Amino acid sequence: MKRIAALDMLRGYALVCIMLDHMPMGVLRSFTLANFTVFDAAELFVLLSGFLVGMVWIKVEAREGRRAAQWRFLKRAYKVWLALVIGAVLLALFSHLLFEFKMNHKAVWFQYSRWIVENPFGYVATVALMWMQPNLLDVLALYVLLIATAPITVPFLLRMPFTAMAVSAAIWWLSEPLNAMIPNQREGQGLLFNPFGWQLLFFTGVAMGAFRDQFMPVLRQRTGVLNGISVAILLFGLAIIICWRIGAPAKPVADMLKQVYGSIDKWSLDGLRYMSILAATWLVAVPLASAFEWMARTLLGRDLAEIGRGGLWSFVTCVLLSIWGDALDMTVSPGATGFLLRVAIDIWVIVALWISAALWLRREEWMGRVRSWLTRLT
């Protein structure tokens, strides 16, 4: 299937934002998506993942049949689960190593570094059974559940799209009590990323990927109206962000805005975050499509696209680099020099993430060269 460069670039951008957002003392985290909207890179990542599932499913089913598509995504769910387990082990071991070198860090809970040494089999088992989801990797647990149910839910969506989305919306509405029924370490609170809430965004993405050729011509007839609604939603969200940043002086305005949107809950995916990511998606896909296509052709856009194409490898790498970057930030002294050093650390982890993804994508080429070199030596 031909790749869409702008989508790969946006996936890479989402991973960079996720990495920087988990470095509490970083400088560039002040410029990530979450600083300008009420949603963040997690919504972008999940929506794009759903969109790609929809596109790939349609292609595979048309070429090889429905069973092939179902089997493909069952295998994909297994790979995501395996990435969750391996990533959790690497996260805990890397955190332990940093503590051994007296490099404190706050990006990840310190107990993981203890459990992996004191009770490694117990740690791996609780992660593998998804009883525990280490922070920074918890979105992968959500992704495992969403992909694992795709062999049933996607055919339902393709056969009865309006009914399926109505069911998805109803499940989203009841997401909090449903999530509380999932047994895990959080004692009646369910998963941190509520799968019953976030499934609505994921399957919205699946529907976009599967039915875009049918609904986009209809929506384009209302481009002006949809542009205006989308801009209004994003400006409303920006006003909320500005009020939060101003603090007490803006409290009357913040209280007035809250009367409209109620509350914002990332973990169960509240309605405003959902509408905001959809509004941004429309603007990117239609009025700003040419601009994003141009950006995808730039050097930075191509580098971000490589990060995006790295998939699960890039995700696990960005988690480990966020821990390392956080540990390095905590060694920096305050002041102008420290500020510049933290900027340098931010740039370094971004470049390291790109190098890691580039090496992964070219692994067959350079591993072949290494094997040839070793063969000549022997």
Side-chain angles (χ1 to χ4, degrees), residues 123-184:
Y123 176 83
V124 173
T126 54
V127 172
L129 294 171
M130 294 178 61
W131 179 263
M132 177 180 69
Q133 304 87 43
N135 65 296
L136 306 189
L137 288 169
D138 37 23
V139 71
L140 284 186
L142 166 69
Y143 198 33
V144 170
L145 296 175
L146 295 176
I147 297 294
T149 60
I152 297 173
T153 54
V154 174
F156 176 39
L157 176 64
L158 296 178
R159 187 171 61 252
M160 295 185 289
F162 294 106
T163 302
M165 290 310 299
V167 171
S168 180
I171 292 172
W172 170 78
W173 186 260
L174 299 171
S175 61
E176 292 190 36
L178 289 173
N179 189 39
M181 296 169 63
I182 299 178
N184 76 336

Side-chain angles (χ1 to χ4, degrees), residues 57-70:
W57 187 288
I58 291 296
K59 297 286 185 182
V60 174
E61 184 173 316
R63 186 173 62 248
E64 304 173 37
R66 176 159 294 178
R67 288 191 179 277
Q70 290 172 318

Side-chain angles (χ1 to χ4, degrees), residues 203-225:
F203 289 114
T204 299
V206 174
M208 289 178 177
F211 297 111
R212 66 190 187 286
D213 292 337
Q214 291 92 327
F215 69 74
M216 282 304 291
V218 177
L219 293 179
R220 286 181 183 277
Q221 297 175 10
R222 302 288 185 271
T223 296
V225 173

Side-chain angles (χ1 to χ4, degrees), residues 297-366:
R297 293 192 296 269
T298 64
L299 178 61
L300 178 59
R302 292 197 300 270
D303 292 344
L304 287 172
E306 287 205 304
I307 294 173
R309 289 198 300 273
L312 292 171
W313 174 273
S314 291
F315 187 92
V316 173
T317 303
C318 94
V319 167
L320 297 177
L321 285 172
S322 67
I323 299 170
W324 198 353
D326 178 43
L328 291 173
D329 280 336
M330 294 188 70
T331 66
V332 175
S333 302
T337 302
F339 176 86
L340 293 175
L341 283 173
R342 286 195 297 274
V343 171
I345 291 168
D346 288 346
I347 295 172
W348 177 82
V349 294
I350 294 171
V351 172
L353 178 58
W354 168 70
I355 292 173
S356 173
L359 288 172
W360 174 255
L361 294 173
R362 296 166 178 80
R363 62 191 181 279
E364 292 184 3
E365 177 184 343
W366 62 262

Side-chain angles (χ1 to χ4, degrees), residues 16-38:
V16 169
C17 287
I18 289 170
M19 180 174 63
L20 295 176
D21 284 339
H22 289 107
M23 294 168 55
M25 298 177 65
V27 176
L28 296 186
R29 75 191 301 266
S30 299
F31 301 95
T32 59
L33 192 58
N35 293 277
F36 308 102
T37 64
V38 294

